[in-house]
Amino acid sequence: AQKVTQAQTEISVVEKEDVTLDCVYETRDTTYYLFWYKQPPSGELVFLIRRNSFDEQNEISGRYSWNFQKSTSSFNFTITASQVVDSAVYFCALSEARGLTGGGNKLTFGTGTQLKVEL
Amino acid sequence: GAVVSQHPSWVICKSGTSVKIECRSLDFQATTMFWYRQFPKQSLMLMATSNEGSKATYEQGVEKDKFLINHASLTLSTLTVTSAHPEDSSFYICSARKGSNQPQHFGDGTRLSIL
Protein backbone atom coordinates (compact mmCIF):
# COMPACT_ATOMS: atom_id res chain seq x y z
CA ALA A 1 0.00 0.00 0.00
CA GLN A 2 1.11 3.52 -0.69
CA LYS A 3 1.34 6.16 1.98
CA VAL A 4 2.37 9.80 2.09
CA THR A 5 3.23 11.50 5.37
CA GLN A 6 3.38 15.23 5.87
CA ALA A 7 4.28 15.52 9.51
CA GLN A 8 4.00 19.30 9.63
CA THR A 9 0.35 20.19 10.09
CA GLU A 10 0.90 23.94 10.15
CA ILE A 11 3.86 26.25 9.67
CA SER A 12 3.95 29.98 10.26
CA VAL A 13 6.74 32.16 8.94
CA VAL A 14 7.41 35.81 8.45
CA GLU A 15 7.63 37.12 4.92
CA LYS A 16 11.03 36.69 3.26
CA GLU A 17 11.92 33.71 5.40
CA ASP A 18 12.78 30.43 3.72
CA VAL A 19 10.56 27.48 4.59
CA THR A 20 10.80 23.76 3.89
CA LEU A 21 7.79 21.49 3.75
CA ASP A 22 8.56 17.85 4.45
CA CYS A 23 7.16 14.85 2.64
CA VAL A 24 7.95 11.20 3.31
CA TYR A 25 6.44 8.42 1.27
CA GLU A 26 6.07 4.65 1.30
CA THR A 27 5.58 2.46 -1.73
CA ARG A 28 6.49 -1.01 -2.91
CA ASP A 29 6.63 0.12 -6.50
CA THR A 30 10.03 0.67 -8.08
CA THR A 31 8.54 3.10 -10.56
CA TYR A 32 6.36 5.88 -9.27
CA TYR A 33 5.68 9.59 -9.47
CA LEU A 34 5.76 12.24 -6.79
CA PHE A 35 3.80 15.48 -6.90
CA TRP A 36 3.29 18.70 -5.03
CA TYR A 37 0.04 20.64 -5.23
CA LYS A 38 -0.93 23.98 -3.74
CA GLN A 39 -4.45 24.62 -2.42
CA PRO A 40 -5.11 28.30 -1.68
CA PRO A 41 -8.11 29.36 0.46
CA SER A 42 -10.31 29.46 -2.64
CA GLY A 43 -10.06 25.68 -2.80
CA GLU A 44 -8.66 24.84 -6.21
CA LEU A 45 -5.64 22.59 -6.44
CA VAL A 46 -2.71 24.00 -8.36
CA PHE A 47 -0.19 21.58 -9.83
CA LEU A 48 3.39 22.52 -8.91
CA ILE A 49 5.65 19.64 -9.87
CA ARG A 50 5.82 16.01 -10.87
CA ARG A 51 8.96 13.95 -10.36
CA ASN A 52 9.73 10.50 -11.77
CA SER A 53 11.24 8.02 -9.32
CA PHE A 54 14.21 7.51 -11.63
CA ASP A 55 15.14 11.17 -11.58
CA GLU A 56 16.74 12.23 -8.33
CA GLN A 57 18.01 15.53 -9.56
CA ASN A 58 16.90 18.45 -7.49
CA GLU A 59 14.74 20.99 -9.27
CA ILE A 60 14.46 24.73 -8.96
CA SER A 61 11.68 26.88 -10.35
CA GLY A 62 11.93 30.49 -9.30
CA ARG A 63 11.55 30.63 -5.54
CA TYR A 64 10.52 26.99 -5.39
CA SER A 65 12.90 24.06 -5.11
CA TRP A 66 12.45 20.38 -4.51
CA ASN A 67 14.82 17.87 -2.95
CA PHE A 68 14.17 14.24 -3.85
CA GLN A 69 16.08 11.74 -1.72
CA LYS A 70 15.23 8.20 -2.66
CA SER A 71 17.44 6.80 0.11
CA THR A 72 15.22 8.41 2.73
CA SER A 73 12.00 8.26 0.70
CA SER A 74 11.59 11.99 0.98
CA PHE A 75 10.50 14.69 -1.43
CA ASN A 76 10.83 17.99 0.38
CA PHE A 77 9.70 21.35 -0.93
CA THR A 78 11.45 24.64 -0.13
CA ILE A 79 10.10 28.11 -0.71
CA THR A 80 12.79 30.77 -0.69
CA ALA A 81 11.98 34.31 0.41
CA SER A 82 8.39 33.44 1.20
CA GLN A 83 5.58 35.84 0.37
CA VAL A 84 2.09 36.31 1.75
CA VAL A 85 0.67 34.91 -1.50
CA ASP A 86 2.39 31.62 -0.68
CA SER A 87 -0.08 31.10 2.16
CA ALA A 88 -1.98 27.92 1.33
CA VAL A 89 -2.23 24.24 2.09
CA TYR A 90 0.41 22.25 0.28
CA PHE A 91 -0.14 18.60 -0.56
CA CYS A 92 2.45 16.03 -1.44
CA ALA A 93 1.15 13.10 -3.46
CA LEU A 94 2.33 9.78 -4.84
CA SER A 95 1.08 7.75 -7.76
CA GLU A 96 1.85 4.36 -9.15
CA ALA A 97 3.30 4.17 -12.62
CA ARG A 98 2.58 1.66 -15.31
CA GLY A 99 5.77 0.60 -17.01
CA LEU A 100 8.39 3.21 -17.80
CA THR A 101 6.12 5.69 -19.51
CA GLY A 102 2.97 5.38 -17.48
CA GLY A 103 2.06 8.59 -15.71
CA GLY A 104 0.42 6.90 -12.83
CA ASN A 105 -3.14 6.20 -11.99
CA LYS A 106 -4.39 6.88 -8.50
CA LEU A 107 -2.98 9.71 -6.49
CA THR A 108 -2.38 9.12 -2.81
CA PHE A 109 -2.28 12.43 -0.97
CA GLY A 110 -0.62 13.38 2.26
CA THR A 111 -2.64 15.20 4.88
CA GLY A 112 -1.27 18.56 3.78
CA THR A 113 0.73 21.31 5.44
CA GLN A 114 -0.94 24.65 6.12
CA LEU A 115 1.59 27.39 5.42
CA LYS A 116 0.90 30.85 6.81
CA VAL A 117 3.16 33.67 5.71
CA GLU A 118 2.75 36.85 7.70
CA LEU A 119 4.02 40.34 7.16
CA GLY B 1 -3.34 24.85 -21.17
CA ALA B 2 -4.87 22.06 -19.11
CA VAL B 3 -7.82 23.96 -17.69
CA VAL B 4 -10.47 22.02 -15.82
CA SER B 5 -13.80 23.63 -15.03
CA GLN B 6 -16.16 22.41 -12.36
CA HIS B 7 -19.76 23.50 -11.94
CA PRO B 8 -21.43 24.52 -9.73
CA SER B 9 -18.91 26.08 -7.34
CA TRP B 10 -21.24 25.66 -4.43
CA VAL B 11 -24.70 24.29 -3.81
CA ILE B 12 -27.03 24.23 -0.85
CA CYS B 13 -30.02 21.96 -0.97
CA LYS B 14 -32.48 20.06 1.16
CA SER B 15 -31.97 16.54 2.37
CA GLY B 16 -33.26 13.97 -0.12
CA THR B 17 -32.36 16.03 -3.17
CA SER B 18 -30.11 14.68 -5.90
CA VAL B 19 -27.27 16.97 -6.94
CA LYS B 20 -25.27 16.82 -10.16
CA ILE B 21 -21.74 18.20 -10.43
CA GLU B 22 -20.06 18.67 -13.79
CA CYS B 23 -16.37 18.46 -14.56
CA ARG B 24 -15.13 19.67 -17.92
CA SER B 25 -11.71 19.75 -19.50
CA LEU B 26 -11.79 22.99 -21.46
CA ASP B 27 -8.72 22.85 -23.65
CA PHE B 28 -7.83 19.19 -23.84
CA GLN B 29 -9.38 15.78 -24.14
CA ALA B 30 -9.33 13.85 -20.90
CA THR B 31 -9.17 10.09 -21.23
CA THR B 32 -9.44 9.76 -17.48
CA MET B 33 -11.15 11.85 -14.85
CA PHE B 34 -11.05 11.42 -11.11
CA TRP B 35 -13.45 12.42 -8.35
CA TYR B 36 -12.24 13.29 -4.88
CA ARG B 37 -13.89 14.28 -1.65
CA GLN B 38 -12.32 16.54 0.94
CA PHE B 39 -13.59 17.18 4.45
CA PRO B 40 -12.58 20.42 6.19
CA LYS B 41 -8.89 20.56 6.97
CA GLN B 42 -8.36 17.06 5.70
CA SER B 43 -6.73 15.50 2.70
CA LEU B 44 -8.32 14.54 -0.58
CA MET B 45 -9.76 11.07 -0.72
CA LEU B 46 -10.22 9.44 -4.10
CA MET B 47 -13.78 8.33 -4.68
CA ALA B 48 -13.64 6.94 -8.17
CA THR B 49 -11.75 6.83 -11.43
CA SER B 50 -13.70 7.47 -14.59
CA ASN B 51 -12.63 6.49 -18.09
CA GLU B 52 -14.51 7.80 -21.07
CA GLY B 53 -17.09 5.37 -22.36
CA SER B 54 -16.77 2.84 -19.56
CA LYS B 55 -18.03 2.32 -16.04
CA ALA B 56 -16.28 4.14 -13.26
CA THR B 57 -14.04 2.28 -10.85
CA TYR B 58 -14.99 3.08 -7.27
CA GLU B 59 -12.71 3.02 -4.27
CA GLN B 60 -13.47 0.72 -1.40
CA GLY B 61 -16.19 2.09 0.81
CA VAL B 62 -17.69 4.42 -1.80
CA GLU B 63 -21.27 3.54 -2.68
CA LYS B 64 -21.63 3.47 -6.44
CA ASP B 65 -25.41 3.73 -6.25
CA LYS B 66 -25.07 6.79 -4.06
CA PHE B 67 -22.46 8.55 -6.15
CA LEU B 68 -23.31 8.07 -9.80
CA ILE B 69 -20.54 8.90 -12.24
CA ASN B 70 -20.99 9.34 -15.95
CA HIS B 71 -18.12 10.03 -18.35
CA ALA B 72 -19.93 10.31 -21.65
CA SER B 73 -17.35 12.28 -23.58
CA LEU B 74 -13.65 13.09 -23.53
CA THR B 75 -14.35 16.50 -22.05
CA LEU B 76 -17.15 15.88 -19.56
CA SER B 77 -17.68 13.78 -16.47
CA THR B 78 -20.55 14.17 -14.03
CA LEU B 79 -20.99 13.13 -10.42
CA THR B 80 -24.52 12.83 -9.12
CA VAL B 81 -25.05 12.57 -5.39
CA THR B 82 -28.37 10.80 -5.12
CA SER B 83 -30.77 11.42 -2.25
CA ALA B 84 -28.21 13.57 -0.50
CA HIS B 85 -28.11 13.74 3.29
CA PRO B 86 -26.25 16.08 5.64
CA GLU B 87 -23.37 13.62 5.97
CA ASP B 88 -22.76 14.04 2.23
CA SER B 89 -21.87 17.67 2.80
CA SER B 90 -18.29 18.09 1.69
CA PHE B 91 -15.96 19.63 -0.86
CA TYR B 92 -15.99 17.59 -4.06
CA ILE B 93 -13.18 18.11 -6.53
CA CYS B 94 -12.51 16.54 -9.88
CA SER B 95 -9.36 16.16 -11.88
CA ALA B 96 -8.62 15.30 -15.48
CA ARG B 97 -5.65 13.84 -17.22
CA LYS B 98 -4.73 14.09 -20.89
CA GLY B 99 -3.13 10.70 -21.02
CA SER B 100 -1.42 8.04 -18.96
CA ASN B 101 1.85 9.97 -18.87
CA GLN B 102 0.36 13.27 -17.79
CA PRO B 103 -0.27 14.79 -14.37
CA GLN B 104 -3.79 15.37 -13.10
CA HIS B 105 -5.17 18.88 -13.34
CA PHE B 106 -7.85 19.83 -10.89
CA GLY B 107 -11.08 21.74 -11.10
CA ASP B 108 -11.98 24.48 -8.64
CA GLY B 109 -14.12 22.17 -6.55
CA THR B 110 -17.76 22.19 -5.48
CA ARG B 111 -18.84 22.93 -1.93
CA LEU B 112 -21.95 20.89 -1.22
CA SER B 113 -24.07 21.65 1.82
CA ILE B 114 -27.08 19.51 2.58
CA LEU B 115 -29.56 20.94 5.05
Side-chain angles (χ1 to χ4, degrees), chain B residues 62-107:
Chain B
V62 178
E63 299 176 59
K64 60 181 181 180
D65 295 330
K66 173 76 173 177
F67 300 99
L68 300 178
I69 292 172
N70 184 288
H71 192 163
S73 77
L74 285 172
T75 59
L76 173 65
S77 176
T78 61
L79 167 67
T80 301
V81 183
T82 61
S83 187
H85 292 285
E87 59 266 29
D88 298 324
S89 299
S90 188
F91 186 63
Y92 292 87
I93 189 165
C94 73
S95 71
R97 191 179 68 193
K98 294 179 185 179
S100 61
N101 196 31
Q102 300 296 322
Q104 294 179 30
H105 295 274
F106 287 80

Short mmCIF file of all heavy atoms in Angstrom, two decimals, chain B residues 62-107:
data_model
loop_
_atom_site.label_atom_id
_atom_site.label_comp_id
_atom_site.label_asym_id
_atom_site.label_seq_id
_atom_site.Cartn_x
_atom_site.Cartn_y
_atom_site.Cartn_z
N VAL B 62 -16.89 3.40 -1.12
CA VAL B 62 -17.69 4.42 -1.80
C VAL B 62 -18.87 3.72 -2.48
O VAL B 62 -18.68 2.80 -3.28
CB VAL B 62 -16.84 5.16 -2.86
CG1 VAL B 62 -17.71 6.18 -3.60
CG2 VAL B 62 -15.65 5.83 -2.20
N GLU B 63 -20.07 4.17 -2.14
CA GLU B 63 -21.27 3.54 -2.68
C GLU B 63 -21.53 3.99 -4.11
O GLU B 63 -21.83 5.17 -4.34
CB GLU B 63 -22.47 3.90 -1.82
CG GLU B 63 -22.38 3.46 -0.36
CD GLU B 63 -23.58 3.96 0.42
OE1 GLU B 63 -24.73 3.62 0.05
OE2 GLU B 63 -23.38 4.73 1.37
N LYS B 64 -21.46 3.09 -5.04
CA LYS B 64 -21.63 3.47 -6.44
C LYS B 64 -23.06 3.87 -6.76
O LYS B 64 -23.31 4.65 -7.69
CB LYS B 64 -21.17 2.35 -7.38
CG LYS B 64 -21.92 1.05 -7.21
CD LYS B 64 -21.36 0.01 -8.18
CE LYS B 64 -22.10 -1.30 -8.05
NZ LYS B 64 -21.57 -2.34 -8.98
N ASP B 65 -24.02 3.35 -6.01
CA ASP B 65 -25.41 3.73 -6.25
C ASP B 65 -25.73 5.09 -5.63
O ASP B 65 -26.74 5.71 -5.97
CB ASP B 65 -26.35 2.68 -5.67
CG ASP B 65 -26.22 1.35 -6.40
OD1 ASP B 65 -25.87 1.38 -7.60
OD2 ASP B 65 -26.43 0.30 -5.78
N LYS B 66 -24.90 5.51 -4.73
CA LYS B 66 -25.07 6.79 -4.06
C LYS B 66 -24.39 7.90 -4.87
O LYS B 66 -24.91 8.99 -5.01
CB LYS B 66 -24.44 6.72 -2.67
CG LYS B 66 -24.38 8.01 -1.90
CD LYS B 66 -25.71 8.35 -1.34
CE LYS B 66 -25.63 9.55 -0.43
NZ LYS B 66 -26.96 9.92 0.06
N PHE B 67 -23.24 7.58 -5.39
CA PHE B 67 -22.46 8.55 -6.15
C PHE B 67 -22.34 8.04 -7.59
O PHE B 67 -21.45 7.25 -7.91
CB PHE B 67 -21.08 8.72 -5.52
CG PHE B 67 -21.11 9.22 -4.11
CD1 PHE B 67 -20.97 8.34 -3.03
CD2 PHE B 67 -21.29 10.57 -3.84
CE1 PHE B 67 -21.00 8.81 -1.73
CE2 PHE B 67 -21.32 11.05 -2.54
CZ PHE B 67 -21.18 10.16 -1.48
N LEU B 68 -23.26 8.52 -8.42
CA LEU B 68 -23.31 8.07 -9.80
C LEU B 68 -22.35 8.89 -10.66
O LEU B 68 -22.41 10.11 -10.66
CB LEU B 68 -24.74 8.20 -10.34
CG LEU B 68 -25.82 7.41 -9.61
CD1 LEU B 68 -27.18 7.67 -10.22
CD2 LEU B 68 -25.50 5.93 -9.62
N ILE B 69 -21.51 8.21 -11.40
CA ILE B 69 -20.54 8.90 -12.24
C ILE B 69 -20.78 8.52 -13.69
O ILE B 69 -20.90 7.34 -14.03
CB ILE B 69 -19.10 8.55 -11.82
CG1 ILE B 69 -18.82 9.15 -10.44
CG2 ILE B 69 -18.09 9.05 -12.85
CD1 ILE B 69 -17.50 8.73 -9.84
N ASN B 70 -20.82 9.53 -14.52
CA ASN B 70 -20.99 9.34 -15.95
C ASN B 70 -19.88 10.09 -16.69
O ASN B 70 -19.63 11.26 -16.42
CB ASN B 70 -22.36 9.88 -16.40
CG ASN B 70 -22.63 9.60 -17.86
OD1 ASN B 70 -22.03 10.21 -18.74
ND2 ASN B 70 -23.51 8.67 -18.13
N HIS B 71 -19.21 9.41 -17.58
CA HIS B 71 -18.12 10.03 -18.35
C HIS B 71 -18.42 9.79 -19.82
O HIS B 71 -17.82 8.94 -20.46
CB HIS B 71 -16.80 9.39 -17.93
CG HIS B 71 -15.59 10.13 -18.43
ND1 HIS B 71 -14.34 9.91 -17.90
CD2 HIS B 71 -15.42 11.05 -19.40
CE1 HIS B 71 -13.47 10.67 -18.52
NE2 HIS B 71 -14.09 11.37 -19.44
N ALA B 72 -19.38 10.57 -20.32
CA ALA B 72 -19.93 10.31 -21.65
C ALA B 72 -19.07 10.81 -22.79
O ALA B 72 -19.19 10.35 -23.93
CB ALA B 72 -21.32 10.94 -21.75
N SER B 73 -18.19 11.76 -22.51
CA SER B 73 -17.35 12.28 -23.58
C SER B 73 -15.95 12.53 -23.04
O SER B 73 -15.70 12.42 -21.83
CB SER B 73 -17.93 13.59 -24.12
OG SER B 73 -17.67 14.67 -23.25
N LEU B 74 -15.04 12.87 -23.93
CA LEU B 74 -13.65 13.09 -23.53
C LEU B 74 -13.44 14.43 -22.82
O LEU B 74 -12.34 14.73 -22.39
CB LEU B 74 -12.73 13.02 -24.75
CG LEU B 74 -12.47 11.61 -25.28
CD1 LEU B 74 -11.73 11.67 -26.61
CD2 LEU B 74 -11.68 10.79 -24.28
N THR B 75 -14.50 15.21 -22.71
CA THR B 75 -14.35 16.50 -22.05
C THR B 75 -15.33 16.70 -20.90
O THR B 75 -15.34 17.76 -20.26
CB THR B 75 -14.56 17.66 -23.05
OG1 THR B 75 -15.87 17.55 -23.62
CG2 THR B 75 -13.51 17.62 -24.15
N LEU B 76 -16.14 15.69 -20.60
CA LEU B 76 -17.15 15.88 -19.56
C LEU B 76 -17.35 14.63 -18.71
O LEU B 76 -17.55 13.54 -19.24
CB LEU B 76 -18.49 16.30 -20.17
CG LEU B 76 -19.69 16.37 -19.22
CD1 LEU B 76 -19.49 17.48 -18.19
CD2 LEU B 76 -20.98 16.61 -20.01
N SER B 77 -17.30 14.82 -17.41
CA SER B 77 -17.68 13.78 -16.47
C SER B 77 -18.63 14.40 -15.46
O SER B 77 -18.47 15.58 -15.09
CB SER B 77 -16.46 13.20 -15.76
OG SER B 77 -16.85 12.25 -14.77
N THR B 78 -19.62 13.65 -15.03
CA THR B 78 -20.55 14.17 -14.03
C THR B 78 -20.61 13.25 -12.82
O THR B 78 -20.49 12.02 -12.95
CB THR B 78 -21.98 14.34 -14.60
OG1 THR B 78 -22.45 13.06 -15.03
CG2 THR B 78 -21.99 15.32 -15.75
N LEU B 79 -20.79 13.86 -11.67
CA LEU B 79 -20.99 13.13 -10.42
C LEU B 79 -22.35 13.53 -9.89
O LEU B 79 -22.61 14.72 -9.69
CB LEU B 79 -19.90 13.51 -9.41
CG LEU B 79 -20.14 13.07 -7.95
CD1 LEU B 79 -20.10 11.55 -7.84
CD2 LEU B 79 -19.10 13.70 -7.03
N THR B 80 -23.21 12.55 -9.68
CA THR B 80 -24.52 12.83 -9.12
C THR B 80 -24.60 12.20 -7.74
O THR B 80 -24.43 10.99 -7.60
CB THR B 80 -25.65 12.27 -10.01
OG1 THR B 80 -25.55 12.86 -11.31
CG2 THR B 80 -27.02 12.59 -9.42
N VAL B 81 -24.84 13.05 -6.76
CA VAL B 81 -25.05 12.57 -5.39
C VAL B 81 -26.55 12.36 -5.24
O VAL B 81 -27.33 13.31 -5.24
CB VAL B 81 -24.54 13.60 -4.36
CG1 VAL B 81 -24.70 13.04 -2.94
CG2 VAL B 81 -23.09 13.98 -4.63
N THR B 82 -26.95 11.11 -5.15
CA THR B 82 -28.37 10.80 -5.12
C THR B 82 -28.91 10.83 -3.69
O THR B 82 -28.22 10.40 -2.76
CB THR B 82 -28.65 9.43 -5.74
OG1 THR B 82 -27.94 8.43 -4.98
CG2 THR B 82 -28.16 9.36 -7.17
N SER B 83 -30.11 11.36 -3.55
CA SER B 83 -30.77 11.42 -2.25
C SER B 83 -29.79 11.88 -1.17
O SER B 83 -29.51 11.15 -0.21
CB SER B 83 -31.36 10.06 -1.90
OG SER B 83 -32.15 10.14 -0.73
N ALA B 84 -29.27 13.06 -1.39
CA ALA B 84 -28.21 13.57 -0.50
C ALA B 84 -28.70 13.80 0.92
O ALA B 84 -29.85 14.20 1.15
CB ALA B 84 -27.65 14.86 -1.08
N HIS B 85 -27.82 13.53 1.87
CA HIS B 85 -28.11 13.74 3.29
C HIS B 85 -27.02 14.62 3.88
O HIS B 85 -25.94 14.80 3.28
CB HIS B 85 -28.20 12.39 4.01
CG HIS B 85 -29.39 11.59 3.60
ND1 HIS B 85 -30.66 11.88 4.03
CD2 HIS B 85 -29.50 10.52 2.77
CE1 HIS B 85 -31.51 11.02 3.50
NE2 HIS B 85 -30.84 10.19 2.73
N PRO B 86 -27.25 15.17 5.05
CA PRO B 86 -26.25 16.08 5.64
C PRO B 86 -24.84 15.51 5.71
O PRO B 86 -23.87 16.25 5.55
CB PRO B 86 -26.82 16.35 7.04
CG PRO B 86 -28.30 16.27 6.86
CD PRO B 86 -28.49 15.16 5.84
N GLU B 87 -24.72 14.22 5.90
CA GLU B 87 -23.37 13.62 5.97
C GLU B 87 -22.65 13.62 4.63
O GLU B 87 -21.45 13.35 4.57
CB GLU B 87 -23.44 12.20 6.53
CG GLU B 87 -24.29 11.24 5.73
CD GLU B 87 -25.71 11.15 6.27
OE1 GLU B 87 -26.21 12.15 6.86
OE2 GLU B 87 -26.34 10.09 6.08
N ASP B 88 -23.39 13.92 3.55
CA ASP B 88 -22.76 14.04 2.23
C ASP B 88 -22.17 15.42 2.00
O ASP B 88 -21.49 15.65 0.99
CB ASP B 88 -23.79 13.74 1.13
CG ASP B 88 -24.33 12.32 1.20
OD1 ASP B 88 -23.54 11.41 1.55
OD2 ASP B 88 -25.53 12.13 0.95
N SER B 89 -22.43 16.32 2.93
CA SER B 89 -21.87 17.67 2.80
C SER B 89 -20.35 17.59 2.82
O SER B 89 -19.76 16.99 3.71
CB SER B 89 -22.36 18.55 3.96
OG SER B 89 -23.77 18.67 3.95
N SER B 90 -19.75 18.19 1.82
CA SER B 90 -18.29 18.09 1.69
C SER B 90 -17.84 18.97 0.54
O SER B 90 -18.65 19.63 -0.12
CB SER B 90 -17.90 16.63 1.43
OG SER B 90 -16.51 16.44 1.48
N PHE B 91 -16.55 18.97 0.30
CA PHE B 91 -15.96 19.63 -0.86
C PHE B 91 -15.61 18.53 -1.86
O PHE B 91 -14.83 17.62 -1.55
CB PHE B 91 -14.71 20.41 -0.42
CG PHE B 91 -14.08 21.25 -1.49
CD1 PHE B 91 -14.79 22.30 -2.06
CD2 PHE B 91 -12.79 21.03 -1.91
CE1 PHE B 91 -14.22 23.10 -3.04
CE2 PHE B 91 -12.20 21.82 -2.89
CZ PHE B 91 -12.92 22.86 -3.45
N TYR B 92 -16.23 18.60 -3.03
CA TYR B 92 -15.99 17.59 -4.06
C TYR B 92 -15.14 18.23 -5.15
O TYR B 92 -15.44 19.32 -5.64
CB TYR B 92 -17.30 17.08 -4.64
CG TYR B 92 -18.12 16.29 -3.65
CD1 TYR B 92 -19.00 16.93 -2.78
CD2 TYR B 92 -18.00 14.90 -3.56
CE1 TYR B 92 -19.74 16.21 -1.85
CE2 TYR B 92 -18.73 14.19 -2.64
CZ TYR B 92 -19.59 14.84 -1.78
OH TYR B 92 -20.32 14.13 -0.85
N ILE B 93 -14.08 17.54 -5.53
CA ILE B 93 -13.18 18.11 -6.53
C ILE B 93 -12.83 17.05 -7.57
O ILE B 93 -12.60 15.89 -7.23
CB ILE B 93 -11.92 18.69 -5.84
CG1 ILE B 93 -11.06 19.48 -6.81
CG2 ILE B 93 -11.11 17.62 -5.14
CD1 ILE B 93 -10.03 20.35 -6.11
N CYS B 94 -12.83 17.48 -8.81
CA CYS B 94 -12.51 16.54 -9.88
C CYS B 94 -11.15 16.87 -10.46
O CYS B 94 -10.62 17.97 -10.27
CB CYS B 94 -13.57 16.58 -10.98
SG CYS B 94 -13.51 18.07 -12.00
N SER B 95 -10.60 15.92 -11.15
CA SER B 95 -9.36 16.16 -11.88
C SER B 95 -9.45 15.45 -13.22
O SER B 95 -10.23 14.51 -13.39
CB SER B 95 -8.14 15.69 -11.10
OG SER B 95 -8.09 14.27 -11.05
N ALA B 96 -8.64 15.90 -14.15
CA ALA B 96 -8.62 15.30 -15.48
C ALA B 96 -7.19 15.15 -15.94
O ALA B 96 -6.31 15.96 -15.58
CB ALA B 96 -9.40 16.18 -16.45
N ARG B 97 -7.00 14.13 -16.74
CA ARG B 97 -5.65 13.84 -17.22
C ARG B 97 -5.70 13.62 -18.72
O ARG B 97 -6.58 12.93 -19.23
CB ARG B 97 -5.17 12.57 -16.51
CG ARG B 97 -3.71 12.25 -16.67
CD ARG B 97 -3.38 10.97 -15.90
NE ARG B 97 -3.99 9.80 -16.48
CZ ARG B 97 -4.05 8.62 -15.87
NH1 ARG B 97 -3.57 8.49 -14.66
NH2 ARG B 97 -4.61 7.58 -16.45
N LYS B 98 -4.74 14.22 -19.43
CA LYS B 98 -4.73 14.09 -20.89
C LYS B 98 -4.45 12.66 -21.31
O LYS B 98 -5.00 12.16 -22.27
CB LYS B 98 -3.65 15.01 -21.48
CG LYS B 98 -3.90 16.49 -21.29
CD LYS B 98 -2.76 17.29 -21.90
CE LYS B 98 -2.93 18.78 -21.61
NZ LYS B 98 -1.81 19.58 -22.17
N GLY B 99 -3.52 12.05 -20.64
CA GLY B 99 -3.13 10.70 -21.02
C GLY B 99 -2.41 10.04 -19.87
O GLY B 99 -2.22 10.63 -18.80
N SER B 100 -1.99 8.80 -20.06
CA SER B 100 -1.42 8.04 -18.96
C SER B 100 -0.09 8.60 -18.48
O SER B 100 0.35 8.29 -17.41
CB SER B 100 -1.24 6.58 -19.37
OG SER B 100 -0.36 6.48 -20.47
N ASN B 101 0.55 9.43 -19.25
CA ASN B 101 1.85 9.97 -18.87
C ASN B 101 1.76 11.44 -18.48
O ASN B 101 2.75 12.15 -18.51
CB ASN B 101 2.85 9.79 -20.03
CG ASN B 101 4.28 9.96 -19.56
OD1 ASN B 101 4.61 9.66 -18.42
ND2 ASN B 101 5.12 10.48 -20.43
N GLN B 102 0.58 11.86 -18.11
CA GLN B 102 0.36 13.27 -17.79
C GLN B 102 -0.13 13.44 -16.36
O GLN B 102 -0.82 12.57 -15.82
CB GLN B 102 -0.67 13.86 -18.75
CG GLN B 102 -0.27 13.79 -20.21
CD GLN B 102 0.95 14.61 -20.52
OE1 GLN B 102 1.13 15.70 -19.98
NE2 GLN B 102 1.82 14.09 -21.37
N PRO B 103 0.21 14.55 -15.73
CA PRO B 103 -0.27 14.79 -14.37
C PRO B 103 -1.76 15.15 -14.38
O PRO B 103 -2.31 15.55 -15.40
CB PRO B 103 0.56 15.98 -13.90
CG PRO B 103 0.94 16.70 -15.16
CD PRO B 103 1.09 15.63 -16.21
N GLN B 104 -2.39 14.99 -13.25
CA GLN B 104 -3.79 15.37 -13.10
C GLN B 104 -3.88 16.88 -12.87
O GLN B 104 -3.11 17.45 -12.13
CB GLN B 104 -4.40 14.63 -11.91
CG GLN B 104 -4.49 13.13 -12.08
CD GLN B 104 -5.09 12.44 -10.87
OE1 GLN B 104 -5.91 12.99 -10.16
NE2 GLN B 104 -4.65 11.21 -10.63
N HIS B 105 -4.87 17.46 -13.54
CA HIS B 105 -5.17 18.88 -13.34
C HIS B 105 -6.55 18.99 -12.72
O HIS B 105 -7.49 18.32 -13.17
CB HIS B 105 -5.10 19.63 -14.66
CG HIS B 105 -3.71 19.65 -15.24
ND1 HIS B 105 -2.77 20.60 -14.88
CD2 HIS B 105 -3.09 18.81 -16.10
CE1 HIS B 105 -1.64 20.35 -15.51
NE2 HIS B 105 -1.80 19.27 -16.25
N PHE B 106 -6.65 19.81 -11.71
CA PHE B 106 -7.85 19.83 -10.89
C PHE B 106 -8.79 20.97 -11.22
O PHE B 106 -8.36 22.06 -11.62
CB PHE B 106 -7.46 19.91 -9.41
CG PHE B 106 -6.89 18.63 -8.87
CD1 PHE B 106 -5.56 18.30 -9.11
CD2 PHE B 106 -7.68 17.74 -8.15
CE1 PHE B 106 -5.04 17.10 -8.63
CE2 PHE B 106 -7.17 16.55 -7.67
CZ PHE B 106 -5.84 16.23 -7.91
N GLY B 107 -10.07 20.70 -11.02
CA GLY B 107 -11.08 21.74 -11.10
C GLY B 107 -11.07 22.56 -9.82
O GLY B 107 -10.31 22.30 -8.90
#
